[in-house]
Amino acid sequence: MIARQSCSALRASVIVPINFSSILSDFGLGACYDGKEAMIEDAELLRRYARDRSESAFAELAKRRLDLVYSVALRQVGGDMHLAQDVTQRVFADLARKARELADRTVLSGWLYRSAQFAAADVVRSERRRREREQETQTMHETSSDRAGEADWEKFRPVLDQVLGELD
């Protein structure tokens, strides 16, 4: 746990972002918690966002929980920082979209943790499929540009022209 003095220093060094996108693009933010009271505050911040669409409430909530979500995502995607950032953005976008449904939860960190795991699994699956498609495309390209194929084409070209000429 971070000592109270270092929390103050950390808070002083953190610049509070103005909007949602800047929060999600700044993955170096840290947060300090005072236990149960912080959990209640998180729930209240989410209620304010759900009720009033308060960007400042959502920004504060995202700032507090950004490290949690990012660290879960980073572990789940095998250390790929870019994929972890994508997962983190997805989780906070889902939180914003589902704010009304989740506003009554007193403990939001569990939902964020599980959402980060699910989103990371989806991203890893999508990334694996993308790599497989790219590999398949590369293999097809290498096969089609094979010199043996050009030699075969030279054999078939006169026959093809002859057969097409007979169709008239």
Side-chain angles (χ1 to χ4, degrees):
M1 178 133 206
I2 300 172
R4 187 170 293 279
Q5 290 176 342
S6 63
C7 284
S8 299
L10 182 60
R11 284 187 182 120
S13 68
V14 173
I15 298 171
V16 178
I18 295 173
N19 63 34
F20 179 69
S21 62
S22 67
I23 293 169
L24 295 179
S25 66
D26 191 359
F27 285 93
L29 293 177
C32 302
Y33 304 102
D34 298 323
K36 188 175 181 180
E37 186 175 314
M39 296 296 184
I40 295 169
E41 288 181 21
D42 288 350
E44 178 57 30
L45 289 170
L46 188 59
R47 278 191 287 277
R48 286 181 191 168
Y49 176 72
R51 184 183 60 232
D52 306 329
R53 286 302 198 212
S54 170
E55 287 189 30
S56 62
F58 193 85
E60 177 63 23
L61 178 59
K63 184 180 87 169
R64 289 180 184 182
R65 297 303 181 185
L66 186 65
D67 287 340
L68 167 73
V69 174
Y70 180 72
S71 63
V72 170
L74 190 61
R75 287 190 306 274
Q76 297 293 314
V77 298
D80 186 320
M81 292 179 2
H82 297 291
L83 288 180
Q85 289 175 353
D86 291 346
V87 168
T88 303
Q89 288 183 347
R90 181 185 288 188
V91 169
F92 281 105
D94 287 347
L95 178 62
R97 192 177 68 249
K98 296 178 180 181
R100 290 185 198 275
E101 298 169 36
L102 299 170
D104 292 331
R105 288 181 177 249
T106 55
V107 179
L108 190 59
S109 58
W111 184 89
L112 291 169
Y113 181 86
R114 294 299 288 161
S115 293
Q117 286 183 316
F118 291 136
D122 287 345
V123 167
V124 167
R125 209 173 13 259
S126 295
E127 190 64 18
R128 186 184 70 241
R129 288 179 186 148
R130 183 190 61 78
R131 276 189 248 122
E132 288 171 357
R133 284 191 303 271
E134 286 178 356
Q135 182 62 38
E136 184 178 317
T137 302
Q138 181 66 26
T139 302
M140 289 173 55
H141 179 69
E142 289 171 357
T143 303
S144 69
S145 65
D146 189 7
R147 290 310 231 168
E150 289 181 25
D152 289 342
W153 177 246
E154 291 302 322
K155 291 179 188 175
F156 292 117
R157 187 183 322 203
V159 175
L160 180 63
D161 288 338
Q162 179 184 358
V163 171
L164 288 174
E166 292 174 4
L167 291 176
D168 285 335

